[in-house]
Amino acid sequence: MLSILKNKLSWLFVTSLKGISQVILIENAVSGFIILAAITIASFSLGVVTLFSSIIGTLIGKLGGADGGSVNQGLYGYNSVLTGMALSLFLSGDDRWFIALVGSAIAALLTASMVHFMRQTGIPILTFPFIVLTWFLLLTTYRLVTFKISPDLTPQSLSSWTLNIKGETHWLDGAFNGIGQIFFLDNTFSGFLLLIAVFWAGWRLGLYAIIGNLAALLTSYVLGGEHSLIFMGLYGYNAILTILAVSIVFKGDSKHVLITGIIAACLTVPITASVVTWLLPYGLPALTMPFVLCTWIFLGARKVLPSI
């Protein structure tokens, strides 16, 4: 009996770590552990929320009777992880931790629902459940007293918006902050650990992540983006996820995966700028919507143009 319980707990922990690694499209428990360490170093409380959110999502997938393969791959954990992290960061008040964990549970349900609706298209749901759920919950703060939005998320009028492209250039920080921002981290050392986690899963994954981030850095700089946002990694993280999705994870029969991936990574920059501007009057973060939109564009195009 004890050995059975031990095996079940071991499975839950390993699968939950895979759920954390699936945020960056990787199925690797060791990578998940390194990522969890990187998050915990930056913020212990955020690390706890990350782990518990993945456990909750995994348990809902398992107890709900989802396909065993998808559960074991951690595919019911990653949207829960991102939702739990985002709500704990973008809400205020002592009850935000409870709300974050409840949100992670709802994210698993929404993931299952979207898997059903998207199955016929052959297009992955990616992080769309996390994005929609987080936006909706953050918007409830304007109507429901229980939910309190962080003062850092302040709606701004586009009529009074001014673009400030001045500032110092910190290319090294930008190189690590890009991958860190996938997990809402602005910590160079944590970004370095996250890069190690990607390389651990495969050298090609790590190389493409670097290329994608570099493509976004250069594109945003050439197009005249705000230096503070560029080198904080706020243009890089969507590019990293996009190149990994388009060039490696969902490459299909494409013959030009690297070129296509670089183009996709560059395209995330104007899409990010557009989404951020669209959300400015609501005070909402762009999250990974540019990654989802850009990846859907290329994966959808491949249904008709399989060689790209």
Side-chain angles (χ1 to χ4, degrees), residues 180-260:
Q181 288 292 348
I182 295 174
F183 295 92
F184 311 101
L185 303 180
D186 183 15
N187 184 297
T188 302
F189 181 66
S190 291
F192 176 70
L193 286 179
L194 291 173
L195 194 58
I196 291 176
V198 178
F199 269 102
W200 181 276
W203 68 267
R204 186 173 280 105
L205 288 164
L207 179 61
Y208 276 51
I210 291 174
I211 293 172
N213 191 39
L214 180 60
L217 281 173
L218 293 175
T219 302
S220 55
Y221 187 79
V222 170
L223 293 179
E226 293 176 84
H227 289 183
S228 59
L229 299 184
I230 293 172
F231 299 107
M232 281 175 62
L234 295 179
Y235 280 108
Y237 72 98
N238 279 293
I240 293 171
L241 292 172
T242 301
I243 195 172
L244 292 179
V246 171
S247 296
I248 296 182
V249 181
F250 306 109
K251 64 180 180 180
D253 298 324
S254 175
K255 300 176 182 178
H256 312 288
V257 290
L258 180 57
I259 296 175
T260 304

Side-chain angles (χ1 to χ4, degrees), residues 113-174:
S113 179
M114 290 208 61
V115 165
H116 171 72
F117 287 114
M118 296 283 286
R119 184 174 287 124
Q120 298 301 320
T121 68
I123 301 295
I125 65 170
L126 304 174
T127 56
F128 191 71
F130 143 67
I131 298 165
V132 172
L133 180 59
T134 301
W135 282 350
F136 271 68
L137 287 175
L138 290 179
L139 286 174
T140 63
T141 61
Y142 295 99
R143 296 289 179 176
L144 302 173
V145 177
T146 299
F147 301 93
K148 301 176 181 65
I149 199 166
S150 168
D152 294 332
L153 299 181
T154 305
Q156 299 183 55
S157 172
L158 289 174
S159 62
S160 60
W161 170 256
T162 55
L163 179 66
N164 180 12
I165 62 172
K166 297 180 180 179
E168 297 181 0
T169 56
H170 300 284
W171 293 98
L172 184 60
D173 288 345

Side-chain angles (χ1 to χ4, degrees), residues 92-116:
S92 60
D94 294 335
D95 56 353
R96 72 183 187 276
W97 311 109
F98 175 74
I99 295 172
L101 295 179
V102 172
S104 69
I106 299 172
L109 298 177
L110 184 55
T111 295
S113 179
M114 290 208 61
V115 165
H116 171 72

Side-chain angles (χ1 to χ4, degrees), residues 42 46 81-87 89-90 130 134 179-187 237 285 287-288:
L46 193 61
V81 165
L82 288 172
T83 302
M85 294 181 74
L87 293 178
L89 289 170
F90 298 136
F130 143 67
T134 301
I179 194 167
Q181 288 292 348
I182 295 174
F183 295 92
F184 311 101
L185 303 180
D186 183 15
N187 184 297
Y237 72 98
L287 304 176
T288 52

Side-chain angles (χ1 to χ4, degrees), residues 11-13 15-20 22 48-68 70-85 100-112 115 129 133:
W11 171 86
L12 179 60
F13 183 65
T15 307
S16 297
L17 290 177
K18 289 182 182 179
I20 295 172
Q22 284 288 2
V48 173
V49 169
T50 300
L51 179 59
F52 275 91
S53 295
S54 188
I55 290 174
I56 289 170
T58 301
L59 283 175
I60 288 178
K62 181 68 173 178
L63 298 176
D67 172 64
S70 60
V71 175
N72 291 336
Q73 290 173 344
L75 295 179
Y76 280 88
Y78 71 97
N79 275 299
S80 295
V81 165
L82 288 172
T83 302
M85 294 181 74
L101 295 179
V102 172
S104 69
I106 299 172
L109 298 177
L110 184 55
T111 295
V115 165
L133 180 59

